[in-house]
Amino acid sequence: QAQLVESGGGLVQAGGSLRLSCAASEWIFSRYTMGWFRQAPGKEREFVAAISWTGGSKHADSVKGRFTISRDNAKKTVDLQMNSLKPEDTAVYHCAAGIDVRVLGGKGTFWGQGTQVTVSS
């Protein structure tokens, strides 16, 4: 049974917006820091944003002011609102869950299968 399931990817023109959502199991959502990573073709996976169970958030410099991570405790979802999208934002976006933001993305991280985001110029 998948622990993290992403939705909301797609094709959008530069300057447009998309909202990604990650549905998590109760066990993960109530305990873990949640986040988003992305991986573009031929590039390494990179951190995008994270949010703790207390609501504290962190965003990569490359997306600050354009992307916003949030969590809905009732729905057990973590969303990534992406505005002012650029072609360089094109990537597969993965939801992630880890014990702490400092180790998110490393050993012990839970991963979703990913959702494709394509931004055309």
Side-chain angles (χ1 to χ4, degrees), residues 52-70:
S52 70
W53 66 274
T54 59
S57 65
K58 179 180 179 181
H59 296 77
D61 288 343
S62 59
V63 306
K64 278 182 182 176
R66 301 189 298 122
F67 293 11
T68 303
I69 191 170
S70 62

Side-chain angles (χ1 to χ4, degrees), residues 11 16 57 60 66 79 99 102 106 108 121:
L11 173 65
S57 65
R66 301 189 298 122
D79 291 351
I99 196 67
R102 291 167 293 181
S121 57

Side-chain angles (χ1 to χ4, degrees), residues 83-105:
N83 299 327
S84 302
L85 282 160
K86 305 174 181 179
E88 51 263 43
D89 293 319
T90 296
V92 176
Y93 284 70
H94 292 271
C95 181
I99 196 67
D100 186 89
V101 67
R102 291 167 293 181
V103 298
L104 188 65

Side-chain angles (χ1 to χ4, degrees), residues 32 37 45 96-111:
Y32 283 75
F37 286 72
R45 185 170 56 205
I99 196 67
D100 186 89
V101 67
R102 291 167 293 181
V103 298
L104 188 65
K107 185 179 180 180
T109 298
F110 291 93
W111 295 99

